[in-house]
Amino acid sequence: MTKWTTANIPDQTGRIAVVTGANTGLGIETAKALAAKGARVVLAVRNLEKGKAAVEWISRAVPAADLELQRLDLGALASVREAADEIKAKHDSIDLLINNAGVMYPPKQTTADGFELQFGTNHLGHFALTGLLLERLLPITGSRVVTVSSIGHRINASIHFDDLQWERSYNRVGAYGQSKLANLLFTYELQRRLTGEKTTALAAHPGGSDTELMRHLPTALQRAVPLIRPLVQDAAAGALPTLRAATDPGALGGQYFGPNFTTRGYPKVVPSSDQSHDLELQRRLWAVSEELTGVTFPALQDSRA
């Protein structure tokens, strides 16, 4: 299938989808597409006012949309735990968890728990949320965890175990690359631990997408945006790899979806870096992430078992 679009999304009636960062960009387009196919969509957002505006925007486009707003600040583990508890109190089952929210290239900042903002939000917050919600996915046949990575996982990217929080020096591009590499390492390790379960883990990247993430681009790159805009795509197109990973009946656990022309195009299975497939790196990051977040996945076996 070379030109997969939202028209290919199967009926989602009766399914529960949790989408982080669903108030703008890729997240709002993902939520809209799922709602249009009948899913009940939980928009998990940091800013409730922006979340309300997103609900209104989706409802105008999809009058029958079944939407629920949930406050979630991935940069605060207390908020992640509170959100997970509230979601579980409302829903006995979850079919889709889409770890979409993220920050890119901000000035050096830390989360409420002292983690470097990109690593703490993009990876650790989603790691914790997944672990806390997984019990609602595991009994559901066909349930999926989809985590949004980036082509940036290849750019100046490694896991700096000796300075995970970039306390000695800070490079916004390198820190973003670390967080997006972590998304893939997490997905692949999670999928191995899910072997034999009803739930699968997949990843996606939007290529080059013209979204609010670009607001923190360094000045030189900001000036270049008008020149590179023809090489990128809008948020609706950028959301397609995520949507295919989440809904394509033929998608398999451990697959990584992205545009067929790297920065733009229709979604297909794409390769990730050799580093992202390093088993020891995946296991080490998993262990560190459990230690930093205090969240474990007791229902799953270590992938070496």
Side-chain angles (χ1 to χ4, degrees):
M1 190 181 297
T2 58
K3 294 186 176 181
W4 195 96
T5 71
T6 55
N8 298 108
I9 299 175
D11 182 25
Q12 299 294 299
T13 301
R15 306 193 85 201
I16 306 295
V18 178
V19 183
T20 70
N23 61 296
T24 188
L26 303 175
I28 196 171
E29 294 290 350
T30 300
K32 173 187 169 186
L34 292 172
K37 292 293 184 174
R40 178 171 181 80
V41 183
V42 179
L43 285 73
V45 303
R46 185 174 60 86
N47 185 311
L48 286 179
E49 287 306 310
K50 290 183 177 179
K52 291 175 184 176
V55 168
E56 292 173 2
W57 183 84
I58 294 172
S59 296
R60 285 195 296 272
V62 185
D66 187 358
L67 306 172
E68 177 183 318
L69 197 57
Q70 172 65 52
R71 187 179 184 279
L72 167 67
D73 182 354
L74 289 162
L77 290 175
S79 176
V80 174
R81 290 182 180 277
E82 182 177 357
D85 286 343
E86 291 176 356
I87 291 170
K88 287 188 290 187
K90 295 175 184 175
H91 300 287
D92 292 332
S93 64
I94 297 172
D95 298 271
L96 298 174
L97 171 59
I98 299 181
N99 294 324
N100 162 81
V103 292
M104 183 174 77
Y105 300 166
K108 186 176 182 181
Q109 299 175 57
T110 57
T111 68
D113 304 286
F115 306 132
E116 186 276 317
L117 185 63
Q118 297 180 91
F119 185 69
T121 301
N122 299 352
H123 169 60
L124 291 175
H126 281 129
F127 178 93
L129 182 67
T130 303
L132 293 167
L133 292 181
L134 194 61
E135 65 186 81
R136 291 293 191 265
L137 289 110
L138 287 175
I140 309 304
T141 300
S143 57
R144 298 181 187 181
V145 178
V146 178
T147 301
V148 179
S149 184
S150 166
I151 54 178
H153 86 276
R154 296 178 179 273
I155 302 171
N156 195 27
S158 59
I159 305 297
H160 298 264
F161 288 109
D162 60 338
D163 189 21
L164 273 176
Q165 313 309 333
W166 297 79
E167 294 170 317
R168 292 201 292 270
S169 64
Y170 180 67
N171 179 298
R172 64 176 75 186
V173 176
Y176 179 71
Q178 172 178 263
S179 73
K180 295 288 100 178
L181 174 60
N183 289 152
L184 284 168
L185 293 167
F186 165 58
T187 296
Y188 296 149
E189 178 66 11
L190 177 59
Q191 175 56 33
R192 267 196 309 281
R193 291 174 182 240
L194 287 168
T195 299
E197 301 285 352
K198 298 176 181 179
T199 306
T200 52
L202 304 91
H205 82 80
S209 293
D210 194 355
T211 70
E212 283 190 10
L213 273 183
M214 290 191 173
R215 67 187 181 275
H216 291 306
L217 285 176
T219 302
L221 290 179
Q222 287 279 10
R223 295 191 184 116
V225 166
L227 299 176
I228 65 173
R229 189 156 272 132
L231 302 176
V232 302
Q233 55 192 359
D234 63 19
L240 289 178
T242 300
L243 288 164
R244 185 167 189 181
T247 67
D248 186 341
L252 303 175
Q255 287 184 324
Y256 180 40
F257 287 85
N260 58 348
F261 292 110
T262 306
T263 60
R264 60 181 300 147
Y266 294 99
K268 69 171 189 175
V269 176
V270 296
S272 60
S273 68
D274 290 343
Q275 190 175 197
S276 71
H277 292 284
D278 185 314
L279 299 183
E280 287 307 312
L281 198 57
Q282 292 164 10
R283 290 163 179 156
R284 185 178 181 188
L285 178 65
W286 186 284
V288 169
S289 299
E290 286 188 328
E291 180 180 349
L292 292 175
T293 64
V295 174
T296 60
F297 292 59
L300 303 184
Q301 294 293 322
D302 186 294
S303 64
R304 286 167 289 194

